[in-house]
Amino acid sequence: MVAKVIDGKAFAANVRAQVADHVASLKKTNGITPGLAVVLVGEDPASQVYVRSKGKQTVEVGMNSYEHKLDASTSEEDLLALVDRLNNDPDVHGILVQLPLPKHLNEDLVINSIDPAKDVDGFHISNVGLLGTGQKSMVPCTPLGCLMMLRNHHGSLSGMDAVVIGRSNIVGKPMAQLLLGDSCTVTIAHSRTKDLPDVVRRADIVVAAVGRPEMVPGDWIKPGATVIDVGINRIERDGKNVLVGDVHYESAAQTAGAITPVPGGVGPMTIACLLANTLTACCRANGLPEPEGLTA
Ligand code: GUN
């Protein structure tokens, strides 16, 4: 079998178009423009690229973008004071503090100072708890994007065997919660898992989120399974810098039923879901119906 390629770039463009439509009607009907504030502390080059891209896409869907760039030496007190101001600003519906923060700042403390209703990353401990107990929450963007693509491909996920490889707070754990919420039988595998190949071979859905280049070979994939590759690893091959996932794409695509490529799979969905979360937060803040198909 040669897998169907799940085109994350096209899927993300479709999500952004749905967000843009909804934003336009919010403006017209309710006179409300959703606003996203992004806070960047320091000059990490990768973070600067992400933040620029977030700001550009926010404006493209018709939302207001507020960028706060702070010096790397900013004190925790000053950062917390900014978050407090954004929490109390009615024009700001979503707040994202770009991670990683410089070492002298306590990430948990800063993230948990964000109003959970504006926590469009879904990292606040309240949102983690709400997701874990099946209640309405803000859902982390990358797992939400993976869930959207899986639902689109399969319709119902009920009863499917899903393996999530990786147990991070940002992807692995919330991904497992979302799959459980959609009635999958979920296994979270990690570096200490025994017989990982056999565990993966049982799965109808494989979500790889470990950050190890091409760690999952094609012969671990059950014929017809759906493979979602969250990894974005930069490696050198034949003297060139290339991006590869956590899955060995060429071999996995021979066995899988469907697979996301790297690049152009999960990657573009993350910012699209950030915009969707900002819209959702804005609708909730104003007591308006949430956008359909853009939440968990
Ligand atoms: N750094 C890399 N990815 C992310 C993300 O999704 N959210 C935040 N806040 N920081 C990041």
Side-chain angles (χ1 to χ4, degrees), residues 39 46-47 50 54 95-100 111 121 123 140-142 170 270 274:
V39 180
S47 293
Y50 280 131
K54 284 169 192 169
I95 303 170
L96 180 145
V97 177
Q98 184 68 26
L99 302 178
I111 294 303
D121 262 327
F123 295 166
C141 303
T142 300
I170 293 179
T270 299
L274 174 69

Side-chain angles (χ1 to χ4, degrees), residues 224-238:
T226 301
V227 177
I228 305 290
D229 191 351
V230 181
I232 301 177
N233 309 291
R234 203 171 288 279
I235 62 163
E236 200 179 301
R237 176 167 291 157
D238 305 328

Side-chain angles (χ1 to χ4, degrees), residues 5-296:
V5 179
I6 299 177
D7 184 348
K9 208 171 153 196
F11 203 102
N14 183 271
V15 169
R16 289 196 301 273
Q18 289 181 60
V19 171
D21 278 354
H22 206 108
V23 168
S25 91
L26 267 185
K27 281 189 195 179
K28 195 164 166 226
T29 314
N30 307 91
I32 299 165
T33 305
L36 171 64
V38 174
V39 180
L40 173 63
V41 187
E43 269 134 41
D44 178 69
S47 293
Q48 285 178 325
V49 172
Y50 280 131
V51 166
R52 209 173 307 131
S53 192
K54 284 169 192 169
K56 183 168 169 276
Q57 294 189 36
T58 303
V59 171
E60 279 169 3
V61 295
M63 296 182 183
N64 290 325
S65 169
Y66 308 102
E67 277 183 25
H68 295 268
K69 293 188 176 161
L70 306 182
D71 198 84
S73 64
T74 298
S75 69
E76 201 162 83
E77 192 186 357
D78 285 351
L79 179 56
L80 292 173
L82 171 60
V83 171
D84 188 54
R85 258 202 293 132
L86 298 172
N87 282 342
N88 289 296
D89 184 341
D91 293 334
V92 171
H93 304 96
I95 303 170
L96 180 145
V97 177
Q98 184 68 26
L99 302 178
L101 288 172
K103 292 277 173 288
H104 67 284
L105 299 169
N106 180 335
E107 281 187 357
D108 287 337
L109 184 72
V110 172
I111 294 303
N112 289 321
S113 73
I114 298 171
D115 177 349
K118 297 190 179 189
D119 168 38
V120 283
D121 262 327
F123 295 166
H124 190 289
I125 195 72
S126 296
N127 282 316
V128 176
L130 290 167
L131 177 63
T133 49
Q135 300 178 71
K136 191 184 271 195
S137 65
M138 295 307 303
V139 175
C141 303
T142 300
L144 178 59
C146 296
L147 183 75
M148 283 183 188
M149 291 193 286
L150 284 167
R151 283 179 176 168
N152 180 261
H153 182 69
H154 286 284
S156 169
L157 308 181
S158 182
M160 296 181 82
D161 277 316
V163 169
V164 179
I165 315 173
R167 54 177 156 178
S168 72
N169 290 334
I170 293 179
V171 182
K173 287 180 200 160
M175 187 75 246
Q177 294 289 2
L178 289 171
L179 291 165
L180 191 59
D182 271 26
S183 301
C184 291
T185 302
V186 183
T187 303
I188 305 180
H190 46 78
S191 56
R192 303 290 176 90
T193 297
K194 279 188 276 178
D195 299 326
L196 181 61
D198 283 343
V199 171
V200 177
R201 278 186 195 113
R202 288 199 291 271
D204 305 308
I205 293 170
V206 180
V207 180
V210 266
R212 287 184 54 190
E214 301 180 326
M215 188 196 120
V216 179
D219 69 359
W220 291 12
I221 304 298
K222 174 162 129 177
T226 301
V227 177
I228 305 290
D229 191 351
V230 181
I232 301 177
N233 309 291
R234 203 171 288 279
I235 62 163
E236 200 179 301
R237 176 167 291 157
D238 305 328
K240 284 188 197 143
N241 269 326
V242 290
L243 286 184
V244 297
D246 292 346
V247 176
H248 186 268
Y249 184 84
E250 285 74 20
S251 59
Q254 299 305 311
T255 317
I259 188 167
T260 59
V262 177
V266 174
M269 288 298 288
T270 299
I271 297 182
C273 288
L274 174 69
L275 304 175
N277 276 350
T278 305
L279 172 60
T280 299
C282 177
C283 291
R284 288 180 186 168
N286 288 284
L288 297 167
E290 290 175 21
E292 263 174 53
L294 296 178
T295 55

